[in-house]
Amino acid sequence: MVINLRLVVLSNYMKYQNSLSFAKGNDEKDPLKSFRSLFNIPTNSNGEQQIYFCGNSLGLAPVSVEELLDEVVSQWKRKAVESWFHGDNPWIDSHKNAKRILSSLVGAHDDEIAIANSLSVNLHLLLLSFYKPTTHRYKIIIEADAFPSDVYIVKSQIRFHGYDVDESLVIIRPDKKGYPISKQNIDYTLEKHGNETAVFLISGVNYSTGQVFDLESIAQLGKFYGCMVGLDLAHAIGNIPLNLHNWGIDFAAWCHYKYMNAGPGSIAGMFVHRDHHESQLPKLHGWWGSKSESKFLMRDEFEEEKGAESWVMSTPSQLNMAALYSSLEIFDKTDINSLRTKSITLSGYLAYLINTLNNPNLKIITPLEPKFRGCQISIKIKYNGKAIFERLIAADLICDWREPNIIRLSPTPLYNTYAEVYKSVQVLKTAVSPQKMGL
Ligand SMILES: *Cc1c(COP(=O)(O)O)cnc(C)c1O
């Protein structure tokens, strides 16, 4: 196993060269190179483009976003309430176009997806339906180093249902803190707690380590133990191919402002598998979750819409919908497998170049096997991490810092280049040099 992994990594590295001309040559050959011009690339105070490796946190603004937002404002100004049902793009249908493109990104049927709220809210709403603790099955399993909001969400759900967090929250731990979680770590936890677990909630890609989980086998394992399997896809959507329906995932939620480029705090998404559409799961209702035919009849009787839409409660913001659509239109011009192909070589090149620095202060904690990493490469810095990070920002390499000692670099296939990857490692090399560190 270990040997195989090394071979995969080595054979991958053989195709890379440590030179700007190699990087530029790859950009020339890149079938996705035209997509960069569809985004606003941030600039420094001299008006020069920065290297933006923060798509894992906030994706860049599509060039078309202003026009699409203007269109909604203009409709609002000219036709006001009439815009809901009339005109070329009636607001009442805006989610349908979006769902068509989203469904291919997450591998779902349109009726398994809904667009509403934000991620943490959607996770709560879905857990209200899927976390139904009983005296024998009351635990929630999550992964170590899960995003803090997810930890707060599951802890408060456990308390909300009258259970004890210490007894009910199970965390899958890696062999050593900050390291990838192995299949053995997952198997062991499920063996020990699976039969008492109501919900197994895991992220598709861990926000901190950048590790991609084998979601298909996780779904099978969760089902084997009789748990509901839920996913947080914040760092997975737009990053790796997903096949939620065929994998048999029970429910999932995600935001659209990371790799999905729909803007800060944009409207979020959720998935509920068709297996649960007829099963009368408990849920909280609002008028937007009622049947489209009866929504405006203003009756007291709630007639539930079919599928995931029944979890939607409120009128969706059309400004948010337009911003989301400006991004989805771009995804619609390509496909996630083409993005993934470029992403694997782009992040692989980044990892290769970082390793050529051979600097003992830098340790890549993201698994290097392509299957287990997405766009993001996380580096653990032993000494002076924060100072090094600040030097990177000062040198126009926009990445992010996660306490206590992690720098995340996420070249994305839609708008980043191999030349940027090359230059970023030059910047990193200077930032970690002993002179700079005062050693
Ligand atoms: C980004 C992120 C969130 C953020 O949640 P919001 O409700 O959108 O603020 C939650 N969970 C994970 C795993 C994330 O990566």
Side-chain angles (χ1 to χ4, degrees), residues 118-121 147 149-150 203 207 232 234-235 255 257-258:
S118 17
L119 169 54
S120 300
V121 173
F147 194 86
S149 194
D150 299 40
S203 52
Y207 87 102
D232 183 327
H235 284 261
C255 54
Y257 51 81
K258 294 173 180 171

Side-chain angles (χ1 to χ4, degrees), residues 119-120 123-124 142-156 169 201 203 206-208 232 235 258 402-403 408:
L119 169 54
S120 300
L123 273 178
H124 269 304
I142 60 170
E143 90 256 30
D145 290 318
F147 194 86
S149 194
D150 299 40
V151 181
Y152 308 151
I153 288 165
V154 294
K155 282 185 177 172
S156 59
L169 180 60
L201 179 70
S203 52
N206 181 271
Y207 87 102
S208 176
D232 183 327
H235 284 261
K258 294 173 180 171
R402 280 292 171 265
E403 293 290 348
R408 303 186 299 178

Side-chain angles (χ1 to χ4, degrees), residues 410-427:
S410 304
T412 66
L414 275 175
Y415 48 77
N416 288 123
T417 65
Y418 292 90
E420 286 182 303
V421 169
Y422 179 82
K423 288 177 196 159
S424 74
V425 179
Q426 296 296 307
V427 171

Side-chain angles (χ1 to χ4, degrees), residues 66-335:
E66 277 161 314
E67 192 186 320
L68 293 189
L69 288 174
D70 279 352
E71 208 174 294
V72 175
V73 175
S74 155
Q75 275 176 291
W76 179 24
K77 278 160 67 178
R78 288 181 294 111
K79 298 206 188 301
V81 72
E82 290 286 291
S83 313
W84 279 106
F85 295 100
H86 303 286
D88 293 340
N89 298 305
W91 292 339
I92 197 75
D93 288 331
S94 60
H95 62 292
K96 290 187 186 157
N97 292 331
K99 279 167 53 164
R100 178 183 57 79
I101 304 168
L102 266 181
S103 58
S104 71
L105 284 172
V106 298
H109 296 285
D110 286 13
D111 62 1
E112 291 176 310
I113 300 177
I115 302 170
N117 313 312
S118 17
L119 169 54
S120 300
V121 173
N122 286 345
L123 273 178
H124 269 304
L125 295 179
L126 290 169
L127 282 169
L128 285 179
S129 300
F130 286 91
Y131 179 51
K132 291 177 288 181
T134 62
T135 40
H136 298 297
R137 209 180 256 285
Y138 53 93
K139 294 183 179 176
I140 299 182
I141 297 180
I142 60 170
E143 90 256 30
D145 290 318
F147 194 86
S149 194
D150 299 40
V151 181
Y152 308 151
I153 288 165
V154 294
K155 282 185 177 172
S156 59
Q157 283 279 339
I158 289 169
R159 287 194 203 101
F160 184 86
H161 285 90
Y163 287 77
D164 180 72
V165 168
D166 290 340
E167 283 169 21
S168 311
L169 180 60
V170 177
I171 294 176
I172 305 173
R173 302 212 180 266
D175 295 331
K176 254 168 99 180
K177 195 171 161 39
Y179 279 68
I181 289 169
S182 66
K183 185 174 179 319
Q184 287 77 1
N185 299 143
I186 298 174
D187 287 346
Y188 171 80
T189 309
L190 267 289
E191 232 168 75
K192 205 161 158 213
H193 300 280
N195 290 327
E196 295 164 349
T197 295
V199 171
F200 180 10
L201 179 70
I202 194 161
S203 52
V205 179
N206 181 271
Y207 87 102
S208 176
T209 61
Q211 174 177 10
V212 172
F213 291 105
D214 180 349
L215 298 175
E216 184 169 18
S217 66
I218 279 176
Q220 282 165 5
L221 193 65
K223 286 216 176 310
F224 177 79
Y225 285 99
C227 321
M228 287 293 170
V229 178
L231 301 179
D232 183 327
L233 299 173
H235 284 261
I237 185 165
N239 180 4
I240 57 169
L242 298 164
N243 213 345
L244 302 185
H245 178 85
N246 287 344
W247 291 340
I249 302 297
D250 293 297
F251 67 96
W254 58 87
C255 54
H256 288 125
Y257 51 81
K258 294 173 180 171
Y259 297 105
M260 292 303 296
N261 315 311
S266 54
I267 197 165
M270 52 181 145
F271 163 91
V272 178
H273 198 283
R274 275 187 178 172
D275 285 354
H276 300 292
H277 289 193
E278 307 293 336
S279 60
Q280 305 295 320
L281 288 170
K283 76 186 71 149
L284 297 180
H285 284 151
W287 75 313
W288 218 262
S290 63
K291 274 205 162 77
S292 49
E293 305 89 70
S294 58
K295 194 172 286 163
F296 298 98
L297 299 179
M298 308 320 250
R299 296 192 299 224
D300 284 350
E301 296 77 38
F302 182 81
E303 270 191 289
E304 194 168 277
E305 183 56 284
K306 230 179 113 288
E309 292 284 333
S310 61
W311 271 265
V312 181
M313 293 178 180
S314 295
T315 315
S317 154
Q318 294 306 307
L319 286 165
N320 263 322
M321 243 357 152
L324 172 60
Y325 199 69
S326 75
S327 161
L328 287 173
E329 261 183 349
I330 298 174
F331 280 93
D332 202 25
K333 292 189 177 94
T334 174
D335 62 278

